[in-house]
mmCIF file of all heavy atoms in Angstrom:
data_model
loop_
_atom_site.group_PDB
_atom_site.id
_atom_site.type_symbol
_atom_site.label_atom_id
_atom_site.label_comp_id
_atom_site.label_asym_id
_atom_site.label_seq_id
_atom_site.Cartn_x
_atom_site.Cartn_y
_atom_site.Cartn_z
ATOM 1 N N PRO G 22 -29.417 -18.725 8.836
ATOM 2 C CA PRO G 22 -28.647 -19.534 9.719
ATOM 3 C C PRO G 22 -27.371 -18.917 10.099
ATOM 4 O O PRO G 22 -26.643 -18.311 9.196
ATOM 5 C CB PRO G 22 -28.511 -20.850 9.119
ATOM 6 C CG PRO G 22 -28.669 -20.649 7.624
ATOM 7 C CD PRO G 22 -29.687 -19.446 7.517
ATOM 8 N N ALA G 27 -22.767 -17.869 20.699
ATOM 9 C CA ALA G 27 -22.288 -18.000 22.091
ATOM 10 C C ALA G 27 -22.851 -16.739 22.764
ATOM 11 O O ALA G 27 -23.431 -15.908 22.099
ATOM 12 C CB ALA G 27 -20.752 -17.909 22.123
ATOM 13 N N LEU G 171 -57.700 -14.054 34.215
ATOM 14 C CA LEU G 171 -56.841 -12.947 33.766
ATOM 15 C C LEU G 171 -55.507 -13.404 33.297
ATOM 16 O O LEU G 171 -54.903 -14.311 33.920
ATOM 17 C CB LEU G 171 -56.632 -11.893 34.882
ATOM 18 C CG LEU G 171 -57.839 -11.352 35.548
ATOM 19 C CD1 LEU G 171 -57.450 -10.197 36.536
ATOM 20 C CD2 LEU G 171 -58.928 -10.941 34.609
ATOM 21 N N PRO G 185 -48.466 -4.412 35.922
ATOM 22 C CA PRO G 185 -48.763 -3.969 37.343
ATOM 23 C C PRO G 185 -49.419 -5.169 38.119
ATOM 24 O O PRO G 185 -50.594 -5.222 38.289
ATOM 25 C CB PRO G 185 -49.698 -2.876 37.125
ATOM 26 C CG PRO G 185 -50.395 -3.119 35.814
ATOM 27 C CD PRO G 185 -49.410 -3.927 34.992
ATOM 28 N N ARG G 216 -36.173 -15.299 40.897
ATOM 29 C CA ARG G 216 -37.407 -16.071 41.027
ATOM 30 C C ARG G 216 -38.588 -15.503 40.265
ATOM 31 O O ARG G 216 -39.561 -16.147 40.168
ATOM 32 C CB ARG G 216 -37.743 -16.219 42.480
ATOM 33 C CG ARG G 216 -36.743 -17.135 43.180
ATOM 34 C CD ARG G 216 -36.961 -17.091 44.697
ATOM 35 N NE ARG G 216 -36.149 -17.984 45.355
ATOM 36 C CZ ARG G 216 -36.113 -18.197 46.639
ATOM 37 N NH1 ARG G 216 -36.986 -17.506 47.427
ATOM 38 N NH2 ARG G 216 -35.283 -19.001 47.211
ATOM 39 N N GLY G 240 -31.124 -20.678 30.046
ATOM 40 C CA GLY G 240 -30.173 -21.201 29.061
ATOM 41 C C GLY G 240 -30.462 -22.661 28.544
ATOM 42 O O GLY G 240 -29.654 -23.152 27.813
ATOM 43 N N SER G 248 -47.732 -24.060 40.828
ATOM 44 C CA SER G 248 -49.105 -23.898 41.288
ATOM 45 C C SER G 248 -49.339 -24.804 42.572
ATOM 46 O O SER G 248 -48.381 -25.028 43.309
ATOM 47 C CB SER G 248 -50.116 -24.213 40.160
ATOM 48 O OG SER G 248 -51.450 -23.828 40.623
ATOM 49 N N GLN G 282 -29.620 -24.270 40.062
ATOM 50 C CA GLN G 282 -28.589 -24.283 41.072
ATOM 51 C C GLN G 282 -27.662 -23.085 40.862
ATOM 52 O O GLN G 282 -27.225 -22.448 41.857
ATOM 53 C CB GLN G 282 -27.789 -25.543 40.967
ATOM 54 C CG GLN G 282 -26.782 -25.739 42.058
ATOM 55 C CD GLN G 282 -27.366 -25.796 43.426
ATOM 56 O OE1 GLN G 282 -28.374 -26.475 43.717
ATOM 57 N NE2 GLN G 282 -26.815 -24.990 44.398
ATOM 58 N N LEU G 330 -35.894 -1.996 9.454
ATOM 59 C CA LEU G 330 -35.146 -2.990 8.682
ATOM 60 C C LEU G 330 -33.863 -2.394 8.188
ATOM 61 O O LEU G 330 -32.701 -3.079 8.268
ATOM 62 C CB LEU G 330 -35.919 -3.419 7.488
ATOM 63 C CG LEU G 330 -37.015 -4.521 7.691
ATOM 64 C CD1 LEU G 330 -37.723 -4.814 6.360
ATOM 65 C CD2 LEU G 330 -36.342 -5.786 8.238
ATOM 66 N N SER G 361 -31.617 -6.975 23.336
ATOM 67 C CA SER G 361 -31.678 -7.972 24.380
ATOM 68 C C SER G 361 -30.296 -7.810 24.996
ATOM 69 O O SER G 361 -29.290 -8.310 24.444
ATOM 70 C CB SER G 361 -31.799 -9.362 23.826
ATOM 71 O OG SER G 361 -33.112 -9.721 23.823
#
Side-chain angles (χ1 to χ4, degrees):
L171 306 190
R216 290 170 175 182
S248 189
Q282 187 62 47
L330 281 177
S361 264

